[in-house]
Amino acid sequence: MCSVMETTEDIVIVGGGIAGLSVALALHRFGLRSLVLESHDTLRVTGAAFTTWTKAWKALDVLGVGDSLRQQHSRLSRIIAISTETGVQTAKLSYGNHEVRCVKRKVLLETLAKELPSNTIRFSSKVVSIEKSGHFKLLRLVDGSILKTKVLIGCDGVNSTVARFMGFKKPSFTNRLAIRGYVDFEENHGFDLQFMQFMGHGVRYGILPCDATTIYWFFTWSPLNEDEDMKENPSKMKQHVLNSLGKVQDNIKDIIQKTKVEDIICSPLRFRQPWELLWQDISKDNICIAGDALHPMTPDLGQGACSALEDAVVLATCLAQGFSEDENMESCLRKYAKQRKWRGIDLVSTAYFVGFVQQSSLKFVRFLRDNFLAGFLAGLLLKKADFDCGHLGNL
């Protein structure tokens, strides 16, 4: 009989997305080794792009990759809101001193991975079960091997195996879907460096330049039964978006029209119920969760990836202090949980509220949104972006 291979690691991170790689890099800056288990055979670069606000750039600077990413992404100057029902601009807000850019997911992941020591990421390593073993956790992988670890960090996304082990429920479906895409123009696209957000007729969508030639876009709506077969058909997704744009200029339609079907994806929007974060512990013994495993939220604040970067800096600081002072890992993770719990509740709740108002088709909500709330909602984005996760070594 073949014996089962068992190895021991100080820190194991499940999930090689933005949260997982950021935590690994933050720990590496402290001189701590970690092992990242990624279930796919390569980096998962789907998802096109995402907005990075001021607080995210603070975290990226702490990780040592901010300047590299700035050189590859344009800074946006403002956000404007436009009604798809009338074509009229309902709000305009300058970003002022805030640093806002639309970052390509592929570029960020590759940048983070490049900074990590070789053999930090183990691909094709899906976790099939987690068990307790004294002060350790045992991870059984799909290939039959077993990992024993002092600290287990779940960064494995919305459908987190680690979160389920800790007792969290599957995130709730919001009855909304998101279609995302991007288009590369052969020459300068000519669009102003601004976030254009469109709302009305029960949909919400946005246009964000990433750089001089690339534009990212998203489209969210509440699906009907006849939309079910669309999720696996990018051509139908594209046509659905084109049919639902409302009163917008032709150059906006042109962005969708020029998007290749292979650059379009669709995903359900899920979120963690705020009260579950309130009564559940986000750290237990020597295990914790971060990123979408902790606070999956709707994209209406553009804070999902940004808050994952915050998590990484705070978590690594707490762990590094524990290892340097030979402190109990459980108490280190409790410090992390104390700092991140209420921040997660705040972001999840606010994102859901903003999405409800922006996408609502109820007449009185539409009236309030277009006449009174558009500027307030845009201001909420800036308010939640103004957060300092600290510096490595400072709690």
Side-chain angles (χ1 to χ4, degrees):
M1 293 179 61
C2 295
S3 60
V4 176
M5 183 177 69
E6 180 177 309
T7 56
T8 301
E9 298 283 345
D10 283 343
I11 304 172
V12 171
I13 301 168
V14 181
I18 294 171
L21 296 188
S22 298
V23 172
L25 182 55
L27 290 169
H28 173 60
R29 298 302 187 208
F30 275 116
L32 295 176
R33 168 180 159 72
S34 63
L35 177 65
V36 178
L37 302 179
E38 171 53 49
S39 60
H40 290 67
D41 57 358
T42 60
L43 291 175
R44 291 172 292 143
V45 297
T46 56
F50 54 89
T51 310
T52 50
W53 302 85
T54 307
K55 61 167 189 164
W57 289 104
K58 292 178 181 178
L60 290 168
D61 285 335
V62 169
L63 296 176
V65 296
D67 288 341
S68 171
L69 292 167
R70 285 184 180 93
Q71 294 173 14
Q72 302 175 72
H73 300 92
S74 302
R75 183 167 180 169
L76 305 182
S77 62
R78 62 183 179 180
I79 180 172
I80 62 172
I82 300 170
S83 169
T84 63
E85 299 177 23
T86 63
V88 174
Q89 179 177 300
T90 57
K92 179 171 69 173
L93 185 65
S94 169
Y95 287 144
N97 293 328
H98 280 280
E99 182 174 7
V100 185
R101 303 173 194 264
C102 187
V103 172
K104 300 176 186 177
R105 178 182 173 88
K106 180 176 185 292
V107 173
L108 174 59
L109 288 178
E110 290 177 346
T111 300
L112 294 171
K114 190 183 302 181
E115 293 291 313
L116 290 170
S118 59
N119 300 321
T120 297
I121 308 172
R122 184 183 296 180
F123 293 105
S124 301
S125 297
K126 181 178 176 61
V127 175
V128 295
S129 69
I130 304 171
E131 303 170 16
K132 294 182 179 180
S133 178
H135 296 295
F136 293 84
K137 291 294 182 291
L138 291 182
L139 307 179
R140 297 185 184 275
L141 306 186
V142 70
D143 64 0
S145 61
I146 298 176
L147 274 174
K148 194 174 183 179
T149 181
K150 294 180 182 178
V151 177
L152 174 61
I153 304 171
C155 297
D156 43 343
V158 173
N159 299 310
S160 170
T161 299
V162 179
R164 287 200 303 272
F165 176 79
M166 294 178 65
F168 281 92
K169 298 177 182 178
K170 184 178 180 179
S172 301
F173 178 45
T174 61
N175 196 37
R176 296 168 62 199
L177 297 178
I179 297 176
R180 299 178 174 93
Y182 69 94
V183 56
D184 285 315
F185 290 78
E186 293 182 2
E187 299 178 350
N188 192 306
H189 49 63
F191 278 81
D192 291 339
L193 297 178
Q194 61 186 7
F195 175 11
M196 292 176 284
Q197 184 170 238
F198 303 83
M199 293 166 284
H201 295 298
V203 305
R204 170 181 176 266
Y205 62 94
I207 306 291
L208 299 94
C210 294
D211 51 37
T213 60
T214 308
I215 289 181
Y216 163 69
W217 58 267
F218 66 84
F219 176 93
T220 66
W221 88 107
S222 297
L224 303 173
N225 290 335
E226 55 266 30
D227 295 334
E228 285 301 313
D229 64 339
M230 185 191 308
K231 290 183 286 187
E232 304 300 327
N233 190 324
S235 295
K236 286 188 176 181
M237 295 181 211
K238 180 176 179 178
Q239 192 57 53
H240 176 70
V241 175
L242 286 169
N243 292 340
S244 307
L245 294 179
K247 294 183 179 181
V248 294
Q249 297 176 346
D250 289 340
N251 61 347
I252 302 299
K253 298 178 181 177
D254 191 50
I255 292 173
I256 312 301
Q257 192 65 60
K258 288 184 176 180
T259 305
K260 299 176 181 178
V261 292
E262 58 265 31
D263 295 327
I264 298 176
I265 61 170
C266 181
S267 56
L269 298 184
R270 302 185 183 279
F271 77 114
R272 180 84 67 205
Q273 296 285 357
W275 48 84
E276 188 181 13
L277 283 175
L278 181 62
W279 68 56
Q280 281 275 25
D281 293 326
I282 66 175
S283 72
K284 290 182 180 180
D285 302 324
N286 59 341
I287 183 172
C288 72
I289 47 179
D292 282 346
L294 168 59
H295 42 58
M297 66 187 78
T298 62
D300 306 289
L301 283 179
Q303 294 290 351
C306 298
S307 54
L309 292 167
E310 289 179 30
D311 293 341
V313 174
V314 175
L315 177 54
T317 302
C318 293
L319 284 175
Q321 183 184 59
F323 274 96
S324 66
E325 299 177 3
D326 198 24
E327 188 178 346
N328 181 283
M329 289 299 106
E330 183 176 353
S331 64
C332 295
L333 295 180
R334 280 201 302 266
K335 290 179 182 177
Y336 158 75
K338 183 178 180 180
Q339 293 189 58
R340 299 306 298 162
K341 186 169 189 171
W342 287 104
R343 176 67 172 166
I345 291 172
D346 179 26
L347 291 176
V348 169
S349 304
T350 306
Y352 186 88
F353 167 74
V354 171
F356 170 76
V357 175
Q358 288 183 334
Q359 195 170 311
S360 178
S361 57
L362 298 174
K363 287 186 177 180
F364 77 95
V365 177
R366 287 160 47 196
F367 174 79
L368 291 174
R369 178 189 64 215
D370 293 345
N371 293 279
F372 301 103
L373 294 179
F376 169 74
L377 294 174
L380 273 180
L381 273 64
L382 292 184
K383 184 177 180 181
K384 299 306 177 184
D386 194 12
F387 180 87
D388 192 346
C389 59
H391 302 279
L392 293 181
N394 294 331
L395 288 174

